[in-house]
Amino acid sequence: MITRTEAVKAYLLDLQDRICNAIEAFEEDTRFIEDTWIQPAGSNGHTRVIENGLVIEKGGVNFSHVFGNKLPHSASAHRHELAGRDFESLGVSLVMHPHNPYIPTSHANVRFFITKKESEEPVWWFGGGFDLTPYYGNEEDCIHWHFVAQQACKPFGPDVYSRYKAWCDNYFYIKHRNEPRGIGGLFFDDLNEWDFDTCFAFIRTIGDAYIDAYLPIVQRRKAMAYTEQQREFQKFRRGRYVEFNLIYDRGTLFGLQAGGRTESILISLPSQVRWGYAWKAEAGSEEARLTDYFLQNHDWLGVHASKASA
């Protein structure tokens, strides 16, 4: 009989393959390289990295299977009763940083946790989601991204998309900058409100939806001309991405607290990034419109509906 963990692992490994194949379809000669690793306690994974392609400047798609005897605080912050338990975690996490500043950076992950304590039933839950970080915003892309997210959630309840969209907006918020990291998407954690089969089906739907959400955007934007000035702005905005990941991201904190593999954990960081002291975009510019309009808490599907009826 296939265990829950085995079933989840088989799906995640297949998802990693399919996402890498889909990204490679945009590249002529550049391919992912794979770094397979194993640690003394049995934790293992497959880190896949693509760099300096025609479309993707740096991207990573990681599979990890982690074991530990003390659940880190970052994974039990909302479930204090589980702190200190033995745990097992499986997941696929990815980030894509494109060359072209008209293509947004994208991030996604799906994960499964199970904790064990002698004489008690194991406790399991799922988490994950996907979010989009544009540099030069485009309403068509934002609407498409959220439409795919909504359709993925729809079979699981009428309020699932709205709840997980709001969670994403709240989670991917850079508090010290007082601004969102991007235009959101979906985020959820501690998911075990349904039975295992339903939760697992939801995770598969979300994992599969990432390809449908991101690839059409890449296809539309990859040939757009851009200037060196726009590349500099992209690097500046990537600084915000780095700040969030190193200060707030629970996945990064979990990996480091669990003694994970540093190179794999920090694969989300872009290869080229910059900071400028007190830099501000010129009022009315495309760069200013990113924060003035796109990085606001929009109902992107409502934007689409209102424009369609206008």
Side-chain angles (χ1 to χ4, degrees):
M1 180 179 178
I2 297 177
T3 67
R4 288 172 172 175
T5 300
E6 289 171 335
V8 173
K9 185 171 186 175
Y11 167 72
L12 293 175
L13 288 171
D14 177 67
L15 178 65
Q16 184 186 38
D17 285 342
R18 288 187 287 115
I19 291 173
C20 290
N21 290 339
I23 294 298
E24 286 181 344
F26 290 109
E27 306 291 353
E28 289 184 1
D29 301 315
T30 310
R31 295 292 179 263
F32 283 89
I33 60 170
E34 180 170 288
D35 189 3
T36 298
W37 53 272
I38 185 167
Q39 295 181 324
S43 297
N44 61 89
H46 307 286
T47 298
R48 293 186 184 172
V49 185
I50 190 167
E51 292 185 286
N52 299 316
L54 290 175
V55 176
I56 302 300
E57 183 174 322
K58 181 185 176 187
V61 185
N62 290 346
F63 166 80
S64 62
H65 189 179
V66 177
F67 301 86
N69 56 16
K70 188 177 181 181
L71 187 67
H73 173 73
S74 57
S76 59
H78 302 294
R79 311 185 74 172
H80 298 292
E81 74 279 6
L82 302 180
R85 286 187 176 219
D86 292 346
F87 72 92
E88 188 174 353
S89 169
L90 301 92
V92 162
S93 180
L94 70 95
V95 64
M96 293 295 151
H97 292 294
H99 278 290
N100 193 319
Y102 283 106
I103 305 175
T105 283
S106 68
H107 161 261
N109 76 85
V110 286
R111 57 190 179 273
F112 175 65
F113 275 86
I114 185 165
T115 67
K116 300 173 184 178
K117 188 176 182 180
E118 190 174 348
S119 76
E120 293 186 17
E121 283 292 312
V123 178
W124 58 264
W125 68 94
F126 290 92
F130 50 75
D131 64 283
L132 196 69
T133 304
Y135 305 100
Y136 290 90
N138 185 290
E139 283 190 350
E140 181 184 17
D141 296 344
C142 298
I143 292 166
H144 166 77
W145 182 261
H146 279 275
F147 179 76
V148 173
Q150 181 199 52
Q151 293 303 300
C153 294
K154 195 172 183 178
F156 298 89
D159 67 334
V160 173
Y161 165 73
S162 60
R163 285 194 292 122
Y164 292 168
K165 176 192 181 297
W167 199 341
C168 187
D169 290 336
N170 291 331
Y171 177 75
F172 290 105
Y173 193 82
I174 308 171
K175 300 179 183 67
H176 63 278
R177 297 289 189 180
N178 195 31
E179 66 182 38
R181 187 173 82 173
I183 60 97
L186 302 171
F187 181 84
F188 56 94
D189 206 354
D190 303 313
L191 175 65
N192 62 3
E193 62 185 85
W194 306 309
D195 60 80
F196 175 84
D197 289 342
T198 304
C199 291
F200 186 26
F202 180 70
I203 277 290
R204 295 196 303 271
T205 300
I206 298 306
D208 294 349
Y210 166 78
I211 297 173
D212 295 332
Y214 192 51
L215 266 60
I217 296 174
V218 176
Q219 185 65 45
R220 284 195 293 265
R221 308 296 163 209
K222 65 185 178 71
M224 291 182 67
Y226 58 88
T227 66
E228 187 56 35
Q229 181 181 354
Q230 289 172 321
R231 272 283 287 173
E232 288 300 304
F233 178 69
Q234 178 192 45
K235 294 174 188 177
F236 170 74
R237 290 302 309 178
R238 283 174 174 175
R240 299 289 202 262
Y241 199 93
V242 171
E243 289 175 21
F244 179 88
N245 276 30
L246 294 183
I247 297 173
Y248 302 113
D249 185 67
R250 286 179 64 186
T252 302
L253 297 176
F254 168 77
L256 296 174
Q257 291 171 3
R261 188 170 180 272
T262 303
E263 284 298 317
S264 298
I265 296 165
L266 298 183
I267 201 172
S268 64
L269 304 183
S271 55
Q272 295 190 45
V273 61
R274 64 178 289 264
W275 282 267
Y277 181 75
W279 184 90
K280 289 185 179 180
E282 182 181 347
S285 65
E286 256 193 301
E287 290 78 13
R289 192 165 186 255
L290 176 70
T291 49
D292 293 346
Y293 176 68
F294 285 95
L295 299 189
Q296 301 296 323
N297 190 10
H298 288 293
D299 171 10
W300 286 108
L301 301 183
V303 169
H304 173 69
S306 64
K307 292 200 169 186
S309 61

